[in-house]
Amino acid sequence: MKVRLHGTRGSYPTSNRENEYFGGATSCVELINGTERIILDAGTGIIALGSEEYYKNKEFNILLTHLHMDHIQGLGFFGHLFNPNNKINIYGPSTTYESLYSRLNRYLSPPLFPIPFRDVPGNIEIKEVLNTELIIGSFKITSNFIVHPGPTVGYRVENQGKVLTYIPDHEPIMGSMEMFDDDDWLSGFDLAKDADLLLHDAQYTSKEYSSKVGWGHSSMEHAAEFAHRTGAKHLLMTHHDPLHTDEIKKRDFGEFMDNHDYDFEIGLAVQGSEIQL
Amino acid sequence: MAAHDIEVILSRQLADCLSLPIFIVGPKGTLLFYNEPAEQILGKRFEHTGVLEVDEWSKLFRPQDDKGNTIPPENLPLVNALNKRKPAAGSFWINSLDGKSHKITVTAYPIIGRARKFSGALAIFWKEEGEV
């Protein structure tokens, strides 16, 4: 399974030179096994996948973690939605009353978007997930609700014996740096257990986190401790704060690594990079 | 053991932050957690009590009415919230594990998450005013 990172920025896209190394597109990850592909999240990173040259399939599976704008903003500009010969399955978290279609339609309709969702030419099927297991081709996928404001799931994707876990927005414990001792009290634990690659929220430094408690995001310390507790083999920190330039990210990450010693690989997610699992 | 449902995890996070005694059980009534303020009334740290089944904890504190009659488990607010999946409330006496007797008032509600998944129940309780 190849993991391609098309969007690693959190909150909103950036396009300045100071952010270009880690990238300015918001959350989107593509998983590839031969001719099979699935897409995790539809931030502005998904727009790059929209050309027929890049993506020759006629069926697309897009799995949304949640409906904050940095995870869906690219959906309306994903070119394949506008081809009537295409089938697009969009998965996303269920909630108690309002359907996923209705919630997506709040963005994909005037006045926020020029075309009503119902008029998008592609054959779109909306599928709601809870704590769900599903199979898409050779991908076995598990979704679980995790701690983040609003209905939000993380995904565990298994393929050919390898596991990718994707939890781009997550605040595993609110207002504390100490997680509960027991693993079964740890949000997202089952998703990330023994993952070969964990893509996890690490938007803040611990100092920044102290003034953003309850915003739904992790510090680098949270992300690393979560990876340690779950036994993940490789952590890539993602959902980079848009105010963090490349220079700031490298500096903060360097300081973090100087002060922590974990026995697994840790890095920062870079837009455009590819990891082979 | 699979991780608890997110609604239960968040309930514990809330309980950890409050000075109000809180008692959390799973969908089958298994005691999962009570917080530090609850420990003051129940008379034992949660770490020392550990996970208990509903048949155990519902009798452990020997709940009694004002006349000293034992209250059967099915009449306790938390058991009611579990069985009927509706909020329930009541006042009664308990014997804490350090040998003290307290009159407490309990409000319990079922933890029902998205898609109406039932994940357990939570009880908030406090000592009656003037009770010593």
Side-chain angles (χ1 to χ4, degrees):
Chain A
M1 171 166 57
K2 283 182 193 166
V3 181
R4 274 189 198 153
L5 309 183
H6 294 282
T8 59
R9 192 62 59 176
S11 304
Y12 56 87
T14 63
S15 61
N16 51 46
R17 191 171 278 180
E18 290 76 20
N19 289 354
E20 68 183 4
Y21 178 76
F22 292 106
T26 60
S27 299
C28 182
V29 173
E30 184 186 13
L31 306 183
I32 304 166
N33 178 36
T35 58
E36 296 181 291
R37 301 174 181 209
I38 61 174
I39 300 166
L40 304 175
D41 273 333
T44 58
I46 199 174
I47 298 168
L49 284 66
S51 73
E52 291 192 1
E53 290 73 30
Y54 181 82
Y55 212 138
K56 301 184 190 307
N57 297 13
K58 291 293 177 194
E59 182 162 346
F60 302 83
N61 292 287
I62 302 170
L63 289 81
L64 305 174
T65 56
H66 63 305
L67 272 59
H68 288 164
M69 282 302 288
D70 51 333
H71 297 258
I72 63 167
Q73 192 178 2
L75 197 55
F77 304 95
F78 182 52
H80 299 289
L81 256 64
F82 298 90
N83 183 340
N85 298 319
N86 286 346
K87 173 135 195 301
I88 297 111
N89 301 309
I90 300 175
Y91 299 78
S94 180
T95 189
T96 306
Y97 293 105
E98 191 174 1
S99 70
L100 179 60
Y101 177 87
S102 172
R103 284 177 286 140
L104 279 170
N105 196 45
R106 290 196 216 172
Y107 156 49
L108 288 166
S109 63
L112 298 180
F113 193 72
I115 303 166
F117 202 10
R118 64 174 179 273
D119 291 342
V120 170
N123 297 303
I124 297 171
E125 189 165 342
I126 305 291
K127 303 183 180 192
E128 302 198 4
V129 299
L130 296 155
N131 294 341
T132 302
E133 287 191 0
L134 53 131
I135 303 286
I136 299 175
S138 63
F139 298 100
K140 181 187 172 197
I141 300 153
T142 305
S143 63
N144 276 347
F145 283 110
I146 48 100
V147 177
H148 187 67
T152 304
V153 295
Y155 289 107
R156 177 184 178 93
V157 183
E158 298 174 45
N159 187 283
Q160 296 184 321
K162 297 291 183 182
V163 174
L164 165 87
T165 298
Y166 179 65
I167 312 180
D169 292 48
H170 191 207
E171 188 172 12
I173 181 87
M174 279 194 212
S176 171
M177 300 310 293
E178 302 290 329
M179 296 180 189
F180 295 131
D181 290 338
D182 297 331
D183 293 337
D184 48 340
W185 286 101
L186 190 54
S187 163
F189 181 83
D190 289 345
L191 292 175
K193 188 166 180 10
D194 299 325
D196 294 286
L197 175 62
L198 169 62
L199 276 162
H200 193 278
D201 183 355
Q203 182 153 345
Y204 305 129
T205 63
S206 56
K207 185 179 177 187
E208 289 169 331
Y209 174 75
S210 65
S211 63
K212 300 174 192 301
V213 172
W215 291 24
H217 297 292
S218 291
S219 65
M220 289 188 283
E221 283 78 1
H222 284 129
E225 187 58 21
F226 179 80
H228 168 65
R229 287 281 296 276
T230 58
K233 299 176 183 74
H234 182 188
L235 166 66
L236 277 178
M237 298 177 172
T238 191
H239 208 269
H240 306 314
D241 192 290
L243 296 176
H244 289 176
T245 62
D246 295 336
E247 187 181 349
I248 290 172
K249 280 239 68 92
K250 288 174 182 172
R251 180 200 68 197
D252 290 346
F253 182 68
E255 288 176 3
F256 170 82
M257 292 301 285
D258 287 344
N259 289 297
H260 296 84
D261 183 22
Y262 286 104
D263 61 356
F264 53 89
E265 190 178 350
I266 306 178
L268 294 171
V270 177
Q271 181 182 324
S273 63
E274 181 176 297
I275 302 100
Q276 176 74 50
L277 295 182
Chain B
M1 181 178 181
H4 299 300
D5 287 336
I6 198 67
E7 295 82 358
V8 173
I9 292 174
L10 283 167
S11 296
R12 176 172 175 178
Q13 290 196 15
L14 177 65
D16 253 16
C17 301
L18 296 183
S19 58
L20 202 61
I22 291 179
F23 194 97
I24 301 170
V25 299
K28 293 180 179 170
T30 306
L31 168 63
L32 300 178
F33 178 72
Y34 55 79
N35 64 0
E36 191 179 317
E39 291 172 348
Q40 300 301 311
I41 296 178
L42 301 177
K44 201 166 193 176
R45 290 180 56 77
F46 174 67
E47 285 73 15
H48 300 150
T49 312
V51 172
L52 296 172
E53 300 306 318
V54 64
D55 287 345
E56 297 173 282
W57 66 255
S58 62
K59 295 171 187 163
L60 185 64
F61 304 105
R62 289 181 285 158
Q64 297 169 357
D65 63 20
D66 285 337
K67 295 176 182 171
N69 301 313
T70 298
I71 300 174
E74 62 271 21
N75 289 351
L76 294 173
L78 185 54
V79 179
N80 254 313
L82 270 170
N83 292 343
K84 297 179 180 172
R85 301 191 183 183
K86 289 181 178 174
S91 295
F92 51 91
W93 292 84
I94 61 164
N95 288 297
S96 67
L97 298 179
D98 57 3
K100 295 174 185 167
S101 184
H102 301 290
K103 187 170 188 185
I104 61 169
T105 295
V106 178
T107 294
Y109 62 84
I111 301 171
I112 300 175
R114 296 178 183 116
R116 305 188 189 285
K117 186 182 180 200
F118 176 64
S119 301
L122 181 150
I124 300 165
F125 60 101
W126 58 95
K127 286 195 279 191
E128 288 271 301
E129 202 169 327
E131 189 270 327
V132 289

